[in-house]
Amino acid sequence: MDIDSLLSVLSGMSVFVSLLLAFFLLTVKTENKLANRLFAFYLLFFAIDNIGIFINESFIRSHFNFEFFRWSTCALIIPVFYLYILSVCFTDFRLQAKHLLHVIPFLATNAVFLIRLYFLNEAEKIQFYDHRSQLPELYGFHLMLGIQIVFYSIAVFLVLKRYRALYQENYANPKTSIYKWLFQISIVLFTLYYLSIAKNALRYIDLEILWIWANVIMQFFVLTITCWFVLKALNHPELFRGIDSKLKLTRDIVHEDENSVETKNNQSESVKGQIVLLKQYMSEKEPFLDPSLTIQELANQINIPVRDLSILINHHIDQHFFDFVNEYRIQKAMSILKNPLKSDLTVLEILYEVGFNSKSSFNTYFKKYTNLTPTAYRNT
């Protein structure tokens, strides 16, 4: 098998897997319809970009406008992925008119192609296609895609940073967090796109064999990543859950309250009383044993407005709600591990009893708090 055939096979497999998953996402019954559809469209645009490697040359020369339009769809791939990230992070995300701004690069590209390419005669289109790497239209297009990748990579990680902060301040169940998954896929995909920028630079260097092998390596990465995502998505459907985007970070709430007319002394006394009440409730009632406990639910239980409770824990106690609750869980686990009457309980049984639902998360937090594994702590 020669290099071109290998490249076509890898590309064909990537397109097939992408289209298969896109079809599944568009047809499966689920509450995450918008997120699924956005990712399905991401996969469709991704596949459209990839089919260029194995499209028959004679077909291209018979349908130049289709090929030029196919190039322009590359400008939709990253924006759709960004919207997908928003839709998975925040359950109340909806597409709005303002999101049409993300289509501007695609429309601008087609406006340029409309003026410079679509209405050329066949001879001029052949001339353009055969010498496309040396022409300013394609150079400008690749430059625009590079800028787009940089811009959206920053935007995606800012969204994930905000999501992580909001999650830690309002939720206590590590299993329902999708931050790690979205961070992983964003790192992988944007690494791929930055490698793609480097690969496209080879287009302007007179080293055809290097260009071909770069495409082969990229297609292998693409196929591997696509299959990895499919397996991850099918094996861990709980990853696709979000939070309310209207939640505010504690630092923003505190900033809003800086102009409050209440005196600092009164605030201080009130805060001390609330902290005592909160810690007493946590110790006596043990609400942390509920693995799905949220700050809203805890606020309802102790009859403190959720806004005040958020400031109390995240600002005055200086802990994320996530860490605050898990600390009580670890302390409870420590007491059980040292209790000779419960020596027959396994570590797995204990972690479920204290409110965790993931062994890896329990071990991570236990070691963070005690510098020992649960088993080592029991044996000390």
Side-chain angles (χ1 to χ4, degrees), residues 6 69 98 124 164 268:
L6 176 61
F69 180 79
K98 65 181 181 180
E124 290 172 327
R164 183 170 184 263
S268 179

mmCIF file of all heavy atoms in Angstrom, residues 6 69 98 124 164 268:
data_model
loop_
_atom_site.group_PDB
_atom_site.id
_atom_site.type_symbol
_atom_site.label_atom_id
_atom_site.label_comp_id
_atom_site.label_asym_id
_atom_site.label_seq_id
_atom_site.Cartn_x
_atom_site.Cartn_y
_atom_site.Cartn_z
ATOM 1 N N LEU A 6 -2.765 4.782 1.912
ATOM 2 C CA LEU A 6 -2.843 4.757 3.371
ATOM 3 C C LEU A 6 -3.569 5.990 3.892
ATOM 4 O O LEU A 6 -4.421 5.905 4.790
ATOM 5 C CB LEU A 6 -1.438 4.683 3.960
ATOM 6 C CG LEU A 6 -1.332 4.750 5.496
ATOM 7 C CD1 LEU A 6 -2.076 3.579 6.131
ATOM 8 C CD2 LEU A 6 0.129 4.766 5.926
ATOM 9 N N PHE A 69 -16.609 25.637 -1.855
ATOM 10 C CA PHE A 69 -17.536 25.778 -0.736
ATOM 11 C C PHE A 69 -17.147 24.847 0.403
ATOM 12 O O PHE A 69 -17.250 25.213 1.585
ATOM 13 C CB PHE A 69 -18.967 25.484 -1.192
ATOM 14 C CG PHE A 69 -19.984 25.617 -0.092
ATOM 15 C CD1 PHE A 69 -20.436 26.867 0.308
ATOM 16 C CD2 PHE A 69 -20.478 24.482 0.566
ATOM 17 C CE1 PHE A 69 -21.367 26.999 1.335
ATOM 18 C CE2 PHE A 69 -21.409 24.605 1.590
ATOM 19 C CZ PHE A 69 -21.850 25.872 1.971
ATOM 20 N N LYS A 98 -27.500 36.415 18.784
ATOM 21 C CA LYS A 98 -26.114 36.883 18.928
ATOM 22 C C LYS A 98 -25.105 35.814 18.517
ATOM 23 O O LYS A 98 -23.968 36.131 18.142
ATOM 24 C CB LYS A 98 -25.844 37.324 20.365
ATOM 25 C CG LYS A 98 -25.910 36.201 21.395
ATOM 26 C CD LYS A 98 -25.642 36.725 22.806
ATOM 27 C CE LYS A 98 -25.681 35.588 23.828
ATOM 28 N NZ LYS A 98 -25.426 36.093 25.206
ATOM 29 N N GLU A 124 -10.089 29.339 -15.788
ATOM 30 C CA GLU A 124 -9.571 30.137 -14.669
ATOM 31 C C GLU A 124 -9.654 29.361 -13.349
ATOM 32 O O GLU A 124 -8.759 29.469 -12.493
ATOM 33 C CB GLU A 124 -10.362 31.443 -14.559
ATOM 34 C CG GLU A 124 -10.088 32.414 -15.694
ATOM 35 C CD GLU A 124 -11.023 33.612 -15.674
ATOM 36 O OE1 GLU A 124 -12.198 33.447 -15.260
ATOM 37 O OE2 GLU A 124 -10.577 34.706 -16.075
ATOM 38 N N ARG A 164 -15.625 25.524 36.090
ATOM 39 C CA ARG A 164 -14.966 24.833 37.209
ATOM 40 C C ARG A 164 -15.159 25.603 38.517
ATOM 41 O O ARG A 164 -15.459 25.015 39.569
ATOM 42 C CB ARG A 164 -13.482 24.657 36.920
ATOM 43 C CG ARG A 164 -12.710 23.874 37.989
ATOM 44 C CD ARG A 164 -11.318 23.565 37.481
ATOM 45 N NE ARG A 164 -10.594 22.747 38.433
ATOM 46 C CZ ARG A 164 -9.744 23.210 39.336
ATOM 47 N NH1 ARG A 164 -9.517 24.520 39.409
ATOM 48 N NH2 ARG A 164 -9.110 22.404 40.156
ATOM 49 N N SER A 268 -19.683 41.096 60.851
ATOM 50 C CA SER A 268 -18.756 40.175 61.488
ATOM 51 C C SER A 268 -19.451 39.279 62.498
ATOM 52 O O SER A 268 -19.236 38.064 62.535
ATOM 53 C CB SER A 268 -17.635 40.964 62.169
ATOM 54 O OG SER A 268 -16.734 40.105 62.815
#
